[in-house]
Amino acid sequence: MKKGHQVTMKEIAKKLGVSVSTISRALKDSPELHPDTKKRIVEMAKEMNYQPNLLAQSLRISRTNTLGVIVPEITSHFFASCISGIQDHANKRGYNVMICQSNETLELEKANIRTLVASQVDGLLISLSRETNQFDHLLDIYNREIPFLLFDRVNEDIPVSRVTFNDEGGAYQVTKHLLETGCKRVMYVSGPEDLYISKKRKEGYLHALNEFGITPDPALVKISDLTIEGNIKIGKEIAEMKSRPDGVFCMIDPVAIDILTFWKSIGIKVPDDMALAGFTNNPTSAVVEPPLTTVAQPGYEMGKLSVTHLLDQLDGIASDDPISIVLETTLVPRQSTKALK
Amino acid sequence: MKKGHQVTMKEIAKKLGVSVSTISRALKDSPELHPDTKKRIVEMAKEMNYQPNLLAQSLRISRTNTLGVIVPEITSHFFASCISGIQDHANKRGYNVMICQSNETLELEKANIRTLVASQVDGLLISLSRETNQFDHLLDIYNREIPFLLFDRVNEDIPVSRVTFNDEGGAYQVTKHLLETGCKRVMYVSGPEDLYISKKRKEGYLHALNEFGITPDPALVKISDLTIEGNIKIGKEIAEMKSRPDGVFCMIDPVAIDILTFWKSIGIKVPDDMALAGFTNNPTSAVVEPPLTTVAQPGYEMGKLSVTHLLDQLDGIASDDPISIVLETTLVPRQSTKALK
DNA sequence: CTGTTAGCGCTTTCAA
DNA sequence: TTGAAAGCGCTAACAG
């Protein structure tokens, strides 16, 4: 398919018998033009349906007014919300956004960075893939002074700004809630151990246990690979334990939901047999039966704060020194845990 | 923040004392270069961490290898899946993707088109907003010969390719299913009437009724504005009808789920009091209680087919003549409708 | 085998 | 008040 030709300033200039620079000036409403010329040009531009070529502009000023975003996957409601927040607020400040997903692989994450950088984005907002356990690609763009920050899935060794939730605090809240509603043996189902959130949420879990004077029991920490099969496997293992926990806190909602579904199929009652809680507050968590106690993470807000901070840095409103923005989470108690007495 | 300077060919050239075009040739592995020079250049480029400037390349060849995508909202699981399919397969063919959301408004849809066109995307994949009831902006890009197609939320008056589901067929399947499982009075809860899918799904609904020799009852068609409040209002109206339907088919899952939740709160049992079905097969529909009978629409597949067709047209593999691609849907019977005898 | 030149569309000095 | 010229980074036709 031949792409339709776009009108250029040159063509308007020829049609009107003036120079290209005059067109340029007229179109950006320069004051040093004769009103008549300006009027003629503006009208002609409209008539010919002229649209500026952002590519050319960007090349000239070496700025694209475009930001790159890399998320593990777009179909996750949480990341979709982040993207939404990023996009709305980037647009508000005159920026466009290019979105890529790493599909949770290091390889694609690297490739995405390469393309976005080649596309001359003015900055990057990155949420790391599950696989990302080495950071050369990030240090590389850091050394090349390409402005970027990390959000949600971050790493603490890269000297750039980070936007995270208070994962430790959220996990503390929900574990405490389980303990307050009568659980004595609370289990933590984690994701892969080198994930930032796996660690942070475990800290919160341990913190709450400690506060209640409970010695952590290694048998009460399990690690899922976060696939459906992996989650169900954990559900099964728990069901078959000689001495089961009476409350289970899962690192993310999908784990809890998979376990819940499996338990229902084998007749385990939640919360009577075991209480269950998740983290993230996915839309799904509200409609399962029983509705799942979880911790709300405002994704849109995270996106908004992230992009705002990065643009503030780009625009010189904020200092270039890395900062850490921590968003608070909110406990959402539902029927999958018992009520407070 | 000052953006780090990107190495250019010019700088490599100066460092090596050769001309820029030699650099260019070496970097694209031109055969007409002395192997030594080539080697020196490639090594130096690597050492200096050279990355080609896609902007400059694009400007030169008047092609960006970038596609624009406009969806009503990214946080919908269905559209997120479409995007995922689009992105994966665009990348596979060397294209990047810029995604925008219209937030279901005509105004943003227009603005998005403007930006994407100004950014010189090579083509557009558009799913119309709910508000879109005039089409000047589409005719405009059509007249300007910018390649694009419509998917899912389409309009039949624009002479471009369309990718849709067999909405009529899916609605027929699910209505038939309700009738086969014993319902006598099946209601259709539609969205706004000028929505393409509202119409198409109604046709399928009427088709099934007709096949079962049932005269459509205007009291058995309701229209929701698709907000939570609107959906609940419909749920309430149904509950208060003197002669209720015994089966309700909702145009999209969220409507069914909102109604289900409301009904549960007032003690109406599904499917015993009334059977209920949706459309789309949102992840949520599988985990509500009872699980919702629905019609599966493979979003990823739709994205994949859409982008493949558009790229085929761009690459001259497919004809420029508009075609209509229709994807089949699958009935997913679950417990919110009674079982077949 | 390599350099020179021109040009993609636009903006911005510098001159007139 | 307007035009000419240079340049953003890259490629390709043309010349050597």
Side-chain angles (χ1 to χ4, degrees), chain A residues 252-265:
Chain A
I252 50 175
D253 286 344
V255 176
I257 288 167
D258 291 342
I259 291 181
L260 177 63
T261 309
F262 174 73
W263 282 357
K264 281 207 277 189
S265 75

Side-chain angles (χ1 to χ4, degrees), chain A residues 72-272:
Chain A
E73 51 162 0
I74 223 170
T75 47
S76 133
H77 184 265
F78 170 71
F79 285 119
S81 306
C82 292
I83 293 174
S84 198
I86 291 174
Q87 217 163 39
D88 287 355
H89 292 85
N91 290 345
K92 223 164 248 173
R93 292 181 56 169
Y95 278 76
N96 281 101
V97 168
M98 293 193 71
I99 298 152
C100 297
Q101 45 187 344
S102 62
N103 290 338
E104 300 280 9
T105 69
L106 175 58
E107 187 196 348
L108 262 180
E109 184 172 295
K110 287 181 178 174
N112 288 335
I113 290 184
R114 225 175 300 126
T115 343
L116 291 173
V117 168
S119 300
Q120 311 294 117
V121 292
D122 294 338
L124 287 164
L125 299 135
I126 304 176
S127 197
L128 301 175
S129 90
R130 271 183 201 148
E131 256 184 46
T132 306
N133 50 11
Q134 46 147 128
F135 305 95
D136 299 352
H137 53 308
L138 299 176
L139 291 171
D140 177 51
I141 54 175
Y142 176 75
N143 290 329
R144 290 163 65 190
E145 296 182 42
I146 293 162
F148 73 104
L149 59 72
L150 299 173
F151 68 97
D152 192 53
R153 304 267 201 89
V154 308
N155 170 277
E156 300 184 289
D157 299 331
I158 321 275
V160 297
S161 287
R162 287 193 301 274
V163 184
T164 51
F165 287 106
N166 184 350
D167 285 288
E168 200 267 341
Y172 166 78
Q173 283 179 303
V174 68
T175 310
K176 186 175 162 205
H177 171 78
L178 284 164
L179 294 167
E180 284 176 343
T181 54
C183 296
K184 303 287 174 210
R185 292 171 45 74
V186 177
M187 167 177 281
Y188 171 50
V189 180
S190 170
E193 287 182 286
D194 42 356
L195 265 189
Y196 176 85
I197 57 173
S198 297
K199 284 181 277 195
K200 285 295 173 185
R201 291 179 192 175
K202 184 167 181 184
E203 287 172 21
Y205 161 78
L206 293 175
H207 174 185
L209 289 190
N210 180 51
E211 204 174 276
F212 277 70
I214 299 175
T215 314
D217 175 353
L220 290 183
V221 173
K222 292 199 168 277
I223 295 172
S224 167
D225 60 4
L226 305 181
T227 62
I228 297 194
E229 299 73 34
N231 298 338
I232 292 178
K233 187 164 146 278
I234 302 282
K236 200 169 194 168
E237 285 176 19
I238 300 175
E240 289 167 354
M241 281 170 76
K242 7 42 317 338
S243 89
R244 285 182 187 164
D246 51 8
V248 176
F249 157 43
C250 301
M251 192 186 77
I252 50 175
D253 286 344
V255 176
I257 288 167
D258 291 342
I259 291 181
L260 177 63
T261 309
F262 174 73
W263 282 357
K264 281 207 277 189
S265 75
I266 60 168
I268 293 183
K269 300 268 177 266
V270 171
D272 298 324

